[in-house]
Amino acid sequence: MRNIIMDKEIVFSSRASKKSPYVFWLVLLFLIMAFGVYICGVSLTRVTVPSKPTKISFTRVERTCSINGIPPEELVYVHFPQPKTYSREECKCTPVRFFVILSMQRSGSGWFETLLNSHPNISSNGEVFSLKQRRQSMETIQRTLDTIYNLEWISSAAKNDCVAAVGFKWMLNQAVMVYHRQIANYFNQKGVSVIFLFRRNLLRRLVSLLANAYDKDAKLINGTHMSHVHTREEADLLAQFKPTLNVSSLIVDLSTAERTMTESLEFFKSNRHMILYYEDIINNPKALSDVQEFLRVPFRKLKSRQVKIHIKPLHEQVDNWYDVYSTVQGSQYEHFLHSSDYIS
């Protein structure tokens, strides 16, 4: 009988030992749940409900403009500016190309700009850096460039809403050569394309420079200085003046102009660019088509109201022609004596 009782105690002890882990986990689970309820209760007591609904502000995210059809290598030159002073509205996804015309005075840049601005999708904003305060440091230069390329520059040529190519003309003697490294870097970073506009016949350019300088004082047209004219009568009146060239410095002057052109090409060779000559615009009908292709704008026939001033042979436009001819004859610039930049 005792053995039986002992056996029962052993069996009971064995069953109790098997159930004890389950009891332990149940107790632990109960404690965790109780602690969780306590934490929730404490948190809820600290939450304050505002008497009025709070205003939630959302940052407006502009939709991404499509770049389908644009070659990957050209994406750096495609922009979608968002001006701060106005909205481009339905044209905000019109891609914009940035450009600059690097040139020298009396090389046809004014005439070339009027041709570009006759295109409905091109804005060329004139000689922006003719004012010294805009080019007194790289900081002022960059600030001006940012304003132009953000489509916030105010000029008569600006077609900001739906423009597809925006730029301006920049003379090489207006701090371009001084800050050429910083400017070239800016152009590369911003994806600005460079159009070099030069004049092959530097002797004819020099004649134009001297005649224009004379008219600044003489003001031959109704007491007003005119760098560009729109009638043949006005052009003929300005062309009556025959400048006298300084033959003692003539070869040096031509060489200096030539060197400036060469150096500018070297300074900006890393930038996307094209080289255009004044004589080509006059004599080659395809030249303006090449420019429009370079700017990736639809082809249009470009027109200008400007009238060329000096259309006569050089010997009829220079007062001391014999001395000039004798000086240039036999030099590396002899071909300037005979080549023309006008349609005869």
Side-chain angles (χ1 to χ4, degrees):
M1 184 66 177
R2 183 183 176 189
N3 291 337
I4 293 174
I5 293 173
M6 290 179 62
D7 290 340
K8 286 182 179 180
E9 289 177 354
I10 293 171
V11 171
F12 178 80
S13 175
S14 174
R15 289 178 179 175
S17 64
K18 290 181 179 180
K19 290 181 179 180
S20 62
Y22 297 103
V23 174
F24 171 77
W25 286 113
L26 286 173
V27 172
L28 181 61
L29 179 61
F30 175 78
L31 291 174
I32 292 173
M33 291 176 63
F35 182 73
V37 171
Y38 171 77
I39 293 298
C40 291
V42 172
S43 299
L44 287 174
T45 60
R46 296 185 179 182
V47 174
T48 58
V49 180
S51 58
K52 294 182 180 180
T54 57
K55 184 178 180 181
I56 303 175
S57 61
F58 295 92
T59 302
R60 183 181 178 185
V61 179
E62 298 290 344
R63 70 182 180 88
T64 303
C65 297
S66 174
I67 56 174
N68 293 334
I70 300 175
E73 65 274 13
E74 291 199 10
L75 289 179
V76 67
Y77 304 107
V78 176
H79 312 276
F80 300 95
Q82 297 183 20
K84 297 178 181 178
T85 56
Y86 67 95
S87 172
R88 295 186 73 203
E89 297 179 349
E90 71 273 10
C91 295
K92 65 181 178 181
C93 281
T94 299
V96 180
R97 308 270 179 156
F98 299 160
F99 71 89
V100 63
I101 304 164
L102 295 185
S103 187
M104 298 192 295
Q105 283 83 358
R106 312 311 294 178
S107 297
S109 60
W111 175 54
F112 179 59
E113 264 204 320
T114 61
L115 289 167
L116 290 183
N117 283 321
S118 71
H119 194 291
N121 304 120
I122 300 177
S123 292
S124 193
N125 291 289
E127 199 170 324
V128 170
F129 289 103
S130 60
L131 296 181
K132 291 183 179 180
Q133 59 265 33
R134 294 175 185 161
R135 61 177 196 262
Q136 61 186 0
S137 68
M138 189 58 209
E139 182 181 357
T140 59
I141 289 174
Q142 182 170 331
R143 186 162 57 244
T144 302
L145 293 175
D146 287 343
T147 303
I148 294 170
Y149 294 130
N150 203 41
L151 305 188
E152 295 185 297
W153 190 261
I154 300 174
S155 78
S156 59
K159 311 177 185 76
N160 288 337
D161 289 355
C162 290
V163 69
V166 62
F168 66 102
K169 64 175 181 176
W170 199 349
M171 301 297 105
L172 295 181
N173 64 349
Q174 294 171 350
V176 175
M177 307 299 276
V178 176
Y179 298 103
H180 64 88
R181 289 188 180 87
Q182 298 95 316
I183 294 170
N185 289 336
Y186 179 95
F187 288 166
N188 278 325
Q189 292 170 6
K190 291 286 187 177
V192 179
S193 299
V194 178
I195 300 174
F196 289 102
L197 177 61
F198 296 136
R199 195 166 182 168
R200 285 195 175 94
N201 195 322
L202 297 175
L203 184 57
R204 298 188 72 94
R205 172 182 174 267
L206 183 57
V207 171
S208 182
L209 274 172
L210 294 174
N212 186 63
Y214 171 79
D215 189 65
K216 286 182 179 179
D217 294 324
K219 299 179 175 60
L220 298 175
I221 301 176
N222 299 324
T224 304
H225 170 55
M226 304 283 286
S227 294
H228 308 99
V229 295
H230 298 132
T231 68
R232 186 69 262 159
E233 292 75 19
E234 292 174 334
D236 290 342
L237 180 59
L238 293 181
Q240 289 178 8
F241 171 71
K242 296 182 179 181
T244 300
L245 277 60
N246 185 348
V247 293
S248 63
S249 63
L250 181 55
I251 299 300
V252 173
D253 292 340
L254 296 175
S255 178
T256 299
E258 187 176 56
R259 185 170 60 254
T260 300
M261 291 162 52
T262 302
E263 288 179 350
S264 68
L265 289 171
E266 179 66 23
F267 291 158
F268 295 94
K269 66 181 181 182
S270 67
N271 302 108
R272 179 177 183 264
H273 66 272
M274 72 174 295
I275 304 172
L276 186 65
Y277 288 96
Y278 175 67
E279 291 85 350
D280 292 340
I281 303 175
I282 293 176
N283 298 308
N284 181 7
K286 189 176 178 296
L288 292 177
S289 300
D290 293 341
V291 174
Q292 294 177 78
E293 170 61 25
F294 180 72
L295 296 177
R296 302 292 190 264
V297 295
F299 175 77
R300 295 287 186 274
K301 184 176 181 179
L302 306 182
K303 298 179 293 183
S304 173
R305 293 178 54 240
Q306 283 192 14
V307 176
K308 183 171 172 55
I309 298 172
H310 297 101
I311 60 174
K312 296 179 181 179
L314 268 175
H315 69 269
E316 297 182 29
Q317 297 181 153
V318 177
D319 188 55
N320 58 335
W321 172 247
Y322 178 79
D323 294 334
V324 170
Y325 185 90
S326 300
T327 301
V328 178
Q329 180 74 14
S331 73
Q332 68 268 38
Y333 303 116
E334 181 178 352
H335 59 286
F336 291 162
L337 297 171
H338 312 290
S339 63
S340 66
D341 57 7
Y342 61 93
I343 300 175
S344 56

